Amino acid sequence: MSDLGSGDDGMSGSKYNASNMERSSSRNDFESGKASSAVEQELATKMLQIQSKRFYLDVKQNRRGRFIKVAEIGADGRRSQIYLALSTAAEFRDHLSSFSDYYASLVNRNAGPPNTDNLPEDGKLKSEMMIKDNRRYYLDLKENARGRFLRVSQTITRGGPRSQIALPAQGMIEFRDALTDLLEEFGANDAGFKGDLPEERHMKVDNKNFYFDIGQNNRGVYMRISEVKNNFRTSITIPEKCWLRFRDIFNDYCDKIKKSPDANTADNIVPSTANSLK
């Protein structure tokens, strides 16, 4: 029997609609546990297929800082999700190593299908708790007739709905490694940019779309310039410390192109891009 962690109870959800360019106002339980609206910027995303489930790890940013939204999508399309501050995500990553080691010891000690006859009454094999501000996270490695899984529950001390995901035990290492990759890129510091980051800019040229997004990671503020064409996206990242030099080089090319025989074409395209960098 495989360790299928989909037999947890009490999990509600809805159809999941993923978008690589999410720009919307939505309910954000991560912020306050109450209904609140905030424009969120998606900085990075990872998708994991673990047995019959898909997990999306989205690094997002709003005016309060950066966080990770973890969404679990079941085989039937039902969604469950939790929110993690970056520092909490780092702590969760460390716990995943501990849970993975414990799970490996169970597999080595009891080769073959789980023996449900000797399970604790609540099915819990190992538990931990994390606290972040007004949020509590309960990590429970559980076992039922369908296998072993890690249930991660998020609660708000001021009240509000309880949200949770169930991660098949066999996928804990893969999940941990994905978290590690995101934390290495964005750091584990919850402090956001002191002030409002500039809004994203957009321009369209023929059948191409260009997006200029300002973000922040543990190395500072940066600009990501993305080219989107026929659902394909490529991007470059420019650290803030070299924006002025980048602008000077770009303006130099603009000046030279203006003097060329094709100046009319350049006037329509290049200067509008250069203005986005000022």
Side-chain angles (χ1 to χ4, degrees):
M1 181 180 297
S2 63
D3 292 329
L4 181 60
S6 60
D8 202 23
D9 297 326
M11 300 183 68
S12 61
S14 59
K15 293 289 183 180
Y16 182 74
N17 182 16
S19 170
N20 289 333
M21 299 296 295
E22 182 176 9
R23 298 289 186 273
S24 63
S25 297
S26 61
R27 292 177 63 91
N28 189 349
D29 292 337
F30 169 76
E31 288 187 353
S32 64
K34 299 179 180 180
S36 61
S37 296
V39 177
E40 296 175 355
Q41 179 185 15
E42 185 174 295
L43 304 180
T45 186
K46 281 184 176 289
M47 192 277 284
L48 304 176
Q49 182 75 44
I50 302 176
Q51 295 183 358
S52 62
K53 297 182 177 183
R54 282 176 292 142
F55 291 88
Y56 290 88
L57 286 71
D58 299 326
V59 181
K60 292 178 172 289
Q61 178 172 277
N62 57 28
R63 294 182 179 180
R64 298 195 178 196
R66 291 162 290 148
F67 58 94
I68 296 179
K69 182 182 79 172
V70 180
E72 171 201 335
I73 316 300
D76 59 356
R78 296 178 69 84
R79 176 185 68 176
S80 300
Q81 61 190 31
I82 61 173
Y83 294 86
L84 301 166
L86 293 184
S87 60
T88 307
E91 184 180 354
F92 180 40
R93 184 263 319 273
D94 296 339
H95 280 306
L96 281 173
S97 294
S98 175
F99 277 96
S100 296
D101 291 342
Y102 182 78
Y103 167 68
S105 70
L106 291 179
V107 173
N108 293 334
R109 190 187 322 151
N110 303 310
N115 183 2
T116 57
D117 295 335
N118 298 321
L119 284 179
E121 184 175 348
D122 58 3
K124 294 181 181 179
L125 303 173
K126 177 179 171 63
S127 297
E128 296 287 351
M129 182 179 70
M130 304 184 300
I131 300 176
K132 175 65 176 179
D133 299 330
N134 66 326
R135 295 177 293 277
R136 291 175 181 261
Y137 300 86
Y138 299 91
L139 314 179
D140 299 308
L141 182 63
K142 303 188 70 175
E143 185 174 313
N144 60 23
R146 282 176 281 186
R148 301 184 179 107
F149 58 94
L150 179 65
R151 185 181 66 186
V152 183
S153 304
Q154 173 190 324
T155 63
I156 308 295
T157 56
R158 292 197 298 250
R162 179 187 183 101
S163 53
Q164 58 190 32
I165 62 172
L167 173 64
Q170 289 179 337
M172 288 191 292
I173 291 294
E174 184 180 0
F175 196 98
R176 181 202 64 187
D177 291 345
L179 265 184
T180 298
D181 289 343
L182 293 174
L183 291 169
E184 286 181 350
E185 180 177 358
F186 295 97
N189 186 356
D190 296 331
F193 177 69
K194 294 183 178 179
D196 292 341
L197 290 171
E199 295 182 358
E200 63 106 12
R201 301 284 295 274
H202 165 256
M203 62 176 286
K204 184 173 183 179
V205 181
D206 298 328
N207 63 337
K208 293 184 180 180
N209 287 281
F210 295 91
Y211 296 88
F212 301 82
D213 299 294
I214 307 301
Q216 182 185 28
N217 58 25
N218 61 321
R219 292 181 290 276
V221 176
Y222 61 88
M223 176 188 296
R224 177 172 290 143
I225 303 176
S226 303
E227 173 190 342
V228 181
K229 178 183 178 182
N230 298 329
N231 295 325
F232 289 96
R233 175 176 175 170
T234 58
S235 62
I236 61 172
T237 300
I238 308 169
E240 182 191 19
K241 62 183 179 182
C242 65
W243 285 2
L244 294 180
R245 178 59 178 157
F246 189 93
R247 182 197 63 185
D248 291 343
I249 294 174
F250 207 92
N251 284 338
D252 183 56
Y253 280 118
C254 289
D255 292 339
K256 291 178 179 179
I257 290 295
K258 284 181 180 179
K259 299 175 183 178
S260 73
D262 296 327
N264 291 334
T265 302
D267 287 341
N268 292 332
I269 299 176
V270 179
S272 60
T273 307
N275 290 335
S276 299
L277 303 178
K278 294 181 179 180

